Amino acid sequence: MNSIVIDTAFVVATMLVAIGIYGLLNSKNVIRVLLSSEIILNASILLLFSLSSLAGKSYTPLIFSVFAIGMALTEVVVAFASVILYYRQKGSLEVD
């Protein structure tokens, strides 16, 4: 893989992490907080995929990336259930 593509992936992942941290710090809505954490998780998965191209024929980063995607799916399901319970108890999705 071309080094320019890898550098671009690193820059995009860094920007995604910055956007996610900004969203975590400045939002009062539970759904926005969860989306911001998902943006950060997707940035880390992007970094893992780009690092796998640097590793050559090693499949370890790719396997770890697939595992991280599966964990992200599980996190989304649990977070969605938690948001539903939070809304039923509080009547609003605003963080206190």
Side-chain angles (χ1 to χ4, degrees), residues 4-83:
I4 295 173
V5 174
I6 295 170
D7 291 342
T8 305
F10 286 143
V11 169
V12 169
T14 304
M15 289 171 49
L16 285 173
V17 168
I19 290 169
I21 290 174
Y22 177 78
L24 282 175
L25 294 177
N26 290 328
S27 64
K28 301 266 185 198
N29 194 333
V30 174
I31 294 177
R32 287 184 184 169
V33 170
L34 291 174
L35 286 175
S36 298
S37 66
E38 286 298 320
I39 289 172
I40 294 172
L41 180 65
N42 288 330
S44 66
I45 292 171
L46 176 65
L47 279 175
L48 284 173
F49 276 124
S50 61
L51 286 176
S52 70
S53 66
L54 286 177
K57 297 196 182 245
S58 174
Y59 293 111
T60 305
L62 286 175
I63 293 169
F64 188 70
S65 297
V66 170
F67 178 73
I69 291 170
M71 291 300 295
L73 178 64
T74 306
E75 177 193 354
V76 166
V77 170
V78 171
F80 185 65
S82 299
V83 165

Side-chain angles (χ1 to χ4, degrees), residues 78-93:
V78 171
F80 185 65
S82 299
V83 165
I84 290 172
L85 289 175
Y86 185 81
Y87 181 75
R88 285 183 182 171
Q89 289 179 352
K90 300 285 183 176
S92 174
L93 292 177

